[in-house]
Amino acid sequence: QKEVEQNSGPLSVPEGAIASLNCTYSDRGSQSFFWYRQYSGKSPELIMFIYSNGDKEDGRFTAQLNKASQYVSLLIRDSQPSDSATYLCAVRATGANSKLTFGKGITLSVRP
Amino acid sequence: DGGITQSPKYLFRKEGQNVTLSCEQNLNHDAMYWYRQDPGQGLRLIYYSQIVNDFQKGDIAEGYSVSREKKESFPLTVTSAQKNPTAFYLCASSMWASGSTDTQYFGPGTRLTVL
């Protein structure tokens, strides 16, 4: 059973702080990693994807991947109240015909 | 205006009824997916389709059926055999690119409630 685990929330940070969202996965053959943001009552929207070990930056967002530790994280710098949402980690393994396995998500609250 | 549309936004079903949820995309994507989301849970895959006239069961296909007669459309029927259908249903699509680059994009969702 391929599993994707996200550390339990909710996570609360003050405005302007760095929010760190973590995700671990069980299938060592996983190749692609995605972060989606989901506002309450809405559908998920893609924030970032990462395939290679290391960091990938896009504006205030940085995805970090460590395949040896089977760990992927999302850092949000200068957190804003508009970042308050649930963040879903999704993983696709090699040969999985593009199917994604999702974590349960972690809810982030940014306090003004 | 490209994107994925789902209808209706809200749907109410009586016990024993079949209902069909619509999903249409104009992104020229080959692959389409149906997920179910329950409160506090991640997304679980119901069915997916890589090409027209072909589809595969996901992790929780029991009580659901799909068709893929057109590239743009992938309707989901929730049958009376689905014992706990109240959930948020999400349709997604992707190009089905080879390798690791394929990315799924989601429609706005349909919230189904059984009365």
Side-chain angles (χ1 to χ4, degrees):
Chain A
Q1 180 76 11
K2 299 172 184 176
E3 295 182 348
V4 176
E5 300 285 341
Q6 295 185 245
N7 52 349
S8 60
L11 176 66
S12 180
V13 300
E15 184 174 356
I18 297 175
S20 177
L21 312 175
N22 304 317
C23 176
T24 58
Y25 56 95
S26 62
D27 187 351
R28 187 169 289 278
S30 297
Q31 293 293 316
S32 313
F33 307 87
F34 303 81
W35 283 101
Y36 288 86
R37 178 176 62 198
Q38 186 175 24
Y39 291 113
S40 180
K42 302 296 185 181
S43 63
E45 55 180 326
L46 181 71
I47 299 176
M48 292 188 70
F49 53 83
I50 186 168
Y51 310 130
S52 303
N53 274 329
D55 294 359
K56 179 182 178 182
E57 187 174 318
D58 183 1
R60 296 186 297 111
F61 299 96
T62 299
Q64 299 176 317
L65 176 61
N66 184 324
K67 289 186 177 180
S69 300
Q70 296 176 232
Y71 176 97
V72 57
S73 65
L74 180 70
L75 301 179
I76 306 175
R77 290 183 301 281
D78 188 24
S79 295
Q80 302 297 309
S82 59
D83 295 326
S84 298
T86 296
Y87 291 80
L88 301 171
C89 172
V91 174
R92 181 169 64 232
T94 304
N97 291 332
S98 199
K99 290 189 293 180
L100 296 178
T101 300
F102 284 83
K104 292 184 178 181
I106 182 168
T107 299
L108 171 67
S109 175
V110 181
R111 308 187 300 271
Chain B
D1 187 21
I4 305 171
T5 58
Q6 291 186 243
S7 62
K9 185 175 181 180
Y10 298 98
L11 184 58
F12 298 91
R13 191 193 95 169
K14 294 182 179 179
E15 295 278 354
Q17 280 184 336
N18 293 352
V19 292
T20 298
L21 283 59
S22 170
C23 179
E24 304 275 336
Q25 55 96 2
N26 61 4
L27 301 169
N28 199 32
H29 284 171
D30 289 315
M32 298 186 73
Y33 313 79
W34 275 105
Y35 292 91
R36 168 183 173 141
Q37 187 177 36
D38 295 280
Q41 301 295 313
L43 278 61
R44 292 185 289 167
L45 183 64
I46 303 173
Y47 270 98
Y48 66 103
S49 168
Q50 299 169 242
I51 56 173
V52 174
N53 292 322
D54 186 56
F55 47 83
Q56 307 294 327
K57 291 182 179 179
D59 300 319
I60 55 165
E62 185 176 352
Y64 299 98
S65 65
V66 293
S67 62
R68 186 88 186 276
E69 297 177 359
K70 299 186 300 181
K71 186 175 182 178
E72 302 79 16
S73 178
F74 191 40
L76 173 74
T77 296
V78 184
T79 75
S80 57
Q82 171 50 239
K83 297 306 179 187
N84 187 21
T86 295
F88 189 37
Y89 289 86
L90 290 157
C91 177
S93 69
S94 73
M95 290 182 65
W96 199 261
S98 61
S100 302
T101 59
D102 195 45
T103 301
Q104 293 184 22
Y105 298 93
F106 287 85
T110 292
R111 196 166 298 278
L112 173 64
T113 302
V114 174
L115 300 175

